């Protein structure tokens, strides 16, 4: 009979050693895999951080290049959010524009890299200091014109620098000439000229480009483009829906130049109004920059604060026309067939011009140190 | 007493065979363990070295790309193939008040950076607007600091009052309300030797060099400087691009295939940093 071995007595160490070896080798392999995984994660994090940085940088460039005039209307220390944009590859940029003071803004841009489910993997914040860069307009008189300027009736042209009634001062005042032209100035009736000096006729420094260059620069950025016809009754207006805002969609709303009136929400609205042809105006008020490629005829009771550039002739007739700021015309005829009864026709205001140009201005980075890492 | 089969012992031959087999298996096991350990150690060393280099890829651009160079001067104080001394921008803030030409009040809100102003260690560089109608007179001017204290802006916002030495006055007529200001410290980054190894070190305001990254293979770790058109330059004010080649090596020697002996493993990283505030 064959002997059946007693299994319990056949004890050895092979199985124990094999298990021990497997555990040790497994631990080493696991450690190596873990180290490799750590390495991979470190590398990925570097990539995510780089993507977030690039996204933030792209956001900065985009905000500055596509500068919105809504930013120009911010009060000091107020901010306006920049809408989040997807840049593809799970990279996103958002941010805000903070108005630092009357001239300077801080653009903050946040770049993020996210997972496909939206979890944030890396964030970087960059900033750029930018400064308003208004269009350069050579203003050295209340009225600057090419050709003969006729001032009659009770018209007044005043080159003494004055802030518009009720406006906070913009700074120091510098008087300019009343009228500056490359031709003659004809004064008749009870018209008066004031300024330093009241008039500068035969000014050979006046050239076409003084009118055309700023005209084209500003027209390219117009807020309101007017069709042909006569415009009567320009007044500020508000939106109907709440919250109530200045109604910038209304082309008859040219801002509110009168402080303390019923449209305070429109006092910061300085539109660029552009007419590609002749323009007739009567009754109403507005502020900003008025650009007329043809002749501008002001028929009466029009109050405008800011800058007017007309490449054709300017006629101001009737009563109650008031221009506070500066007027540039290639040929100007200022006068009236009735009277102005002591009301100034054109009063130079550096503050009005400055506000109008700044409101429509683009921005440029500060001369140096404009770019900053905000972390 | 009769001997049964179960009670028989091993013969000498059997024992020798078992011992040989156990020896072979044991040797293979130890060899496998040793190899696995070497691979693991080498992996950890390489990982550490590459992690170091990645740190350099993050650190150097963050430190250097804000360097400003303009017509009035350069934030690069001195440059060489192994060292850069520069003004390291640390914080951006805005001056809400200037009670005197030697006292600036920095708004606490809208203030950005990793570190707070530390006087007199840090300096201020202040934006002077001058005539707002032109950009040609806009400059940033540098001022030392003496001390700081808590304060308030004219609008009541919390602020930090920075006292400046009497040796240089801020032209307050050129200072606009809420003018931008930057704080900075003078930093030196250097490839230097310590304890027989080479490191990328950093020193603030002339203090002792501290290692921030390494060890490095010194001979191949260098800084390079180029102008906007790519020409190599040694003039700080002409620099527009800084290049850094970091040649890292492992802390300990590791086995490397093809070599019998353990050696230091090396890897390199080249970084090009375009200075963002240099036209």
């Amino acid at each position: 009979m064959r002997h059946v071995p007693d299994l319990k007595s056949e004890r050895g160490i092979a199985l124990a050693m094999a298990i021990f070896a497997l555990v040790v080798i497994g631990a080493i392999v696991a450690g190596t895999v873990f180290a490799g995984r750590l390495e991979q994660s470190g590398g990925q994090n570097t990539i995510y951080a780089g993507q977030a940085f690039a996204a933030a940088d792209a956001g900065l460039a985009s905000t500055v290049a596509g500068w919105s005039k809504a930013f120009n209307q911010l009060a000091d220390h107020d901010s306006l959010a920049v809408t989040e944009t997807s840049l593809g590859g799970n990279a996103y940029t958002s941010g805000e524009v903070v108005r630092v003071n009357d001239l300077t803004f801080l653009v903050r841009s946040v770049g993020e890299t996210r997972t496909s489910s939206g979890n944030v993997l890396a964030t970087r914040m960059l900033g750029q200091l930018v400064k308003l860069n208004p269009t350069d307009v050579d203003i050295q008189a209340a009225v600057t014109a090419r050709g003969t300027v006729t001032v009659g009736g009770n018209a007044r042209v005043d080159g003494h620098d004055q802030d518009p009634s009720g406006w906070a001062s913009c700074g120091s005042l510098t008087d300019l000439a009343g009228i500056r032209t490359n031709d003659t100035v004809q004064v008749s009736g009870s018209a008066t000229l004031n300024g330093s000096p009241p008039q500068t006729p035969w000014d050979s420094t006046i050239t076409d480009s003084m009118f055309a260059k700023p005209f084209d620069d500003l027209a390219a950025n117009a807020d309101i483009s007017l069709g042909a016809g006569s415009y009567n009754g320009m007044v500020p207006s508000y939106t109907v829906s709440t919250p109530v805002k200045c109604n910038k969609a209304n082309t008859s709303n040219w801002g509110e130049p009168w402080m303390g009136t019923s449209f305070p929400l429109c006092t910061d609205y300085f539109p660029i109004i552009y007419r590609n042809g002749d323009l007739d105006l009567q009754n109403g008020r507005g502020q900003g920059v008025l650009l007329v490629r043809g002749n501008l005829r002001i028929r009466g009771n029009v109050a405008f604060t800011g800058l007017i550039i007309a490449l054709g002739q300017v006629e101001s007739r009737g009563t109650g026309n008031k221009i506070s700021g500066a007027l540039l015309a290639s040929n100007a005829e200022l006068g009236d067939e009735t009277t102005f009864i002591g009301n100034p026709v054109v009063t130079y205001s550096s503050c009005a011009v400055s506000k109008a140009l700044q409101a429509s201005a683009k921005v440029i980075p500060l001369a140096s140190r404009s770019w900053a890492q905000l972390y | 007493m009769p001997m049964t089969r179960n009670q028989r012992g091993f013969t000498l031959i059997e024992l020798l065979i078992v011992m040989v087999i156990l020896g072979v298996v044991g040797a293979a096991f130890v060899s496998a363990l040793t190899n696995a350990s070497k691979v693991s150690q080498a992996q950890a060393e390489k990982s550490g070295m590459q992690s170091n280099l990645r740190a350099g890829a993050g650190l150097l651009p963050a430190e250097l790309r804000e360097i400003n160079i303009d017509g009035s001067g350069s934030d690069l104080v001195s440059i060489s193939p192994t060292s850069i001394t520069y003004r390291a921008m640390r914080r951006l803030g805005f001056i809400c008040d200037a009670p005197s030409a030697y006292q600036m009040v920095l708004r606490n809100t809208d203030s950005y950076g990793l570190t707070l102003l530390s006087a007199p260690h840090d300096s201020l560089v202040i934006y002077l607007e001058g005539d707002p109608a032109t950009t040609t007179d806009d400059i940033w001017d540098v001022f030392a600091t003496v001390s700081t204290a808590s304060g308030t802006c004219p609008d009541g916002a919390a602020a930090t009052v920075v006292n400046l030495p009497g040796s240089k006055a801020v032209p307050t007529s050129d200072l606009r309300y809420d003018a931008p200001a930057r704080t900075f410290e003078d930093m030196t980054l250097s490839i230097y030797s310590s304890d027989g190894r080479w490191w990328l070190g950093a020193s603030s305001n002339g203090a002792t060099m501290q290692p921030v990254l390494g060890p490095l293979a010194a001979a191949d770790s260098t800084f390079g400087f180029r102008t906007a058109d790519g020409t190599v330059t040694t003039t700080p004010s002409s620099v527009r691009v800084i290049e850094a080649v970091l040649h890292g090596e492992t802390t300990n020697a590791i086995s490397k295939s093809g070599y019998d002996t353990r050696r230091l493993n090396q890897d390199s990283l080249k970084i090009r940093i375009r200075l963002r505030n240099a036209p």
Side-chain angles (χ1 to χ4, degrees):
Chain A
M1 178 175 164
R2 180 174 172 81
H3 170 72
V4 177
D6 181 0
L7 293 178
K8 286 184 179 177
S9 68
E10 301 232 342
R11 287 175 297 184
I13 61 169
L15 181 61
M17 281 186 67
I19 291 172
F20 175 72
L22 283 173
V23 168
V24 171
I25 291 172
I28 291 171
V29 169
T32 305
V33 169
F34 178 73
R37 177 75 183 133
L38 210 59
E39 175 75 14
Q40 185 189 18
S41 298
Q44 279 182 333
N45 287 341
T46 304
I47 292 170
Y48 295 147
Q51 287 173 336
F53 177 87
D57 216 16
L60 269 190
S62 169
T63 304
V64 174
W67 189 256
S68 165
K69 280 188 280 190
F71 299 141
N72 296 3
Q73 292 165 17
L74 288 169
D76 289 0
H77 308 303
D78 277 356
S79 63
L80 201 57
V82 176
T83 310
E84 183 176 279
T85 306
S86 170
L87 302 175
N90 291 329
Y92 296 82
T93 178
S94 59
E96 66 173 0
V97 173
V98 182
R99 183 157 203 153
V100 175
N101 58 35
D102 57 340
L103 289 178
T104 316
F105 296 81
L106 172 65
V107 182
R108 287 199 310 128
S109 177
V110 178
E112 284 185 350
T113 312
R114 299 177 191 161
T115 62
S116 53
S117 57
N119 294 323
V120 177
L121 295 166
T123 301
R124 289 291 181 277
M125 183 163 63
L126 302 175
Q128 187 151 34
L129 291 162
V130 296
K131 176 181 175 179
L132 284 172
N133 183 34
T135 301
D136 187 20
V137 186
D138 184 10
I139 296 172
Q140 295 180 35
V143 174
T144 304
R146 294 182 72 244
T148 302
V149 179
T150 303
V151 186
N154 287 317
R156 276 186 57 188
V157 177
D158 194 344
H160 290 124
D161 195 357
Q162 299 169 48
D163 292 332
S165 177
W167 284 31
S169 174
C170 298
S172 59
L173 301 174
T174 306
D175 294 340
L176 300 179
I179 296 175
R180 178 182 170 223
T181 176
N182 64 347
D183 207 308
T184 58
V185 177
Q186 297 177 355
V187 182
S188 62
S190 300
T192 54
L193 297 182
N194 292 307
S196 179
Q199 57 175 284
T200 308
W202 303 112
D203 186 339
S204 60
T205 63
I206 295 177
T207 60
D208 271 346
S209 63
M210 283 177 52
F211 305 89
K213 176 75 169 61
F215 186 96
D216 291 340
D217 288 349
L218 290 163
N221 204 22
D223 299 285
I224 298 172
S225 188
L226 300 174
S230 298
Y231 289 83
N232 190 333
M234 296 75 65
V235 288
S237 62
Y238 284 171
T239 56
V240 176
S241 58
T242 54
V244 172
K245 296 176 182 175
C246 186
N247 186 3
K248 297 174 184 176
N250 179 3
T251 56
S252 293
N253 176 8
W254 294 5
E256 176 57 280
W258 297 350
M259 297 298 160
T261 64
S262 55
F263 295 96
L265 296 180
C266 290
T267 55
D268 288 331
Y269 180 41
F270 292 83
I272 297 178
I273 307 127
Y274 172 62
R275 168 73 189 112
N276 186 21
D278 294 344
L279 179 64
D280 283 15
L281 298 179
Q282 190 170 10
N283 300 316
R285 63 184 188 270
Q287 62 182 3
V289 178
L290 177 60
L291 304 171
V292 181
R293 197 170 287 282
N295 296 323
L296 171 62
R297 289 178 286 271
I298 306 172
R299 301 300 189 189
N301 293 315
V302 173
F304 191 84
T305 302
L307 175 65
I308 297 176
I309 305 178
L311 298 186
Q313 187 178 17
V314 174
E315 295 176 14
S316 174
R317 299 184 184 276
T319 60
N321 295 330
K322 296 180 181 178
I323 297 169
S324 179
L327 188 153
L328 282 77
S330 70
N331 195 344
E333 181 185 343
L334 300 171
D336 61 65
E337 294 170 341
T338 54
T339 58
F340 279 103
I341 315 178
N343 288 336
V345 176
V346 180
T347 305
Y348 173 62
S349 170
S350 61
C351 185
V353 172
S354 167
K355 286 271 189 185
L357 290 175
Q358 283 188 10
S360 63
K362 294 287 187 180
V363 291
I364 53 172
L366 291 194
S368 50
R369 295 186 199 285
S370 69
W371 189 91
Q373 296 172 117
L374 307 182
Y375 295 97
Chain B
M1 181 184 244
M3 184 182 291
T4 67
R5 283 173 68 90
N6 285 344
Q7 289 174 317
R8 281 188 304 179
F10 294 109
T11 66
L12 180 59
I13 300 298
E14 287 174 331
L15 280 175
L16 285 173
I17 291 169
V18 167
M19 286 175 69
V20 168
I21 291 171
L22 279 178
V24 170
V25 170
F29 177 62
V30 169
S31 173
L33 273 183
T34 306
N35 280 336
S37 174
K38 282 179 181 175
V39 168
S40 178
Q41 187 192 3
Q43 185 68 24
E45 288 284 343
K46 284 183 184 177
S47 179
M49 175 183 64
Q50 286 169 353
S51 176
N52 253 323
L53 292 177
R54 269 202 307 276
L59 171 80
L60 290 176
E63 273 291 289
L64 299 175
R65 63 183 153 211
E66 272 193 76
I67 283 174
N68 183 77
I69 296 173
D70 57 26
S72 63
S74 169
D75 284 346
L76 281 175
V77 179
S78 65
I79 55 176
S80 79
T82 57
S83 176
I84 306 174
T85 299
Y86 61 100
R87 292 173 182 155
M89 294 299 133
R90 294 296 182 233
R91 200 161 190 86
L92 167 66
F94 299 94
I95 296 174
C96 62
D97 196 14
S100 78
Y102 306 102
Q103 199 172 53
M104 299 291 113
V105 183
L106 279 167
R107 190 179 291 278
N108 284 356
T109 54
D110 290 332
S111 177
Y112 307 92
L114 290 177
T115 58
L116 295 172
L117 170 67
S118 170
H121 180 272
D122 294 346
S123 300
L124 268 182
V125 56
I126 299 173
Y127 181 67
L128 300 172
E129 175 70 49
D131 180 359
T134 178
T135 57
T136 55
D137 64 345
D138 298 350
I139 60 166
W140 291 83
D141 205 356
V142 175
F143 299 88
T145 62
V146 174
S147 61
T148 60
S150 296
T152 54
C153 294
D155 60 10
T160 301
V161 179
V162 184
N163 296 303
L164 312 180
S167 54
K168 185 177 180 182
V170 175
T172 50
S173 60
D174 291 339
L175 193 63
R176 210 158 184 85
Y177 180 70
D178 272 316
R182 308 294 307 269
T183 69
F184 71 87
E185 59 181 327
D186 292 319
M187 290 290 296
T188 298
L189 291 176
S190 182
I191 311 293
Y192 81 111
S193 173
S194 175
D195 297 330
R197 304 295 294 267
W198 289 84
W199 310 85
L200 174 68
S203 163
S204 173
N205 287 357
T208 306
M209 191 68 65
Q210 298 292 331
V212 293
L213 191 154
L216 300 174
D220 299 316
S221 297
T222 57
F223 296 116
F225 308 92
R226 294 184 182 274
T227 62
D229 63 7
T231 309
V232 173
T233 182
T234 56
T235 308
S237 61
S238 299
V239 175
R240 296 295 179 272
V241 175
I242 297 175
E243 293 176 337
V245 177
L246 297 177
H247 207 92
E249 64 183 15
T250 52
T251 306
N252 299 300
I254 58 175
S255 294
K256 190 176 176 184
S257 59
Y259 297 101
D260 294 333
T261 56
R262 291 156 67 92
R263 292 171 176 242
L264 293 173
N265 200 270
Q266 296 184 345
D267 204 347
S268 61
L269 177 76
K270 186 171 185 176
I271 308 163
R272 290 172 63 91
I273 304 154
R274 177 70 170 88
L275 305 187
R276 306 305 295 269
N277 289 317

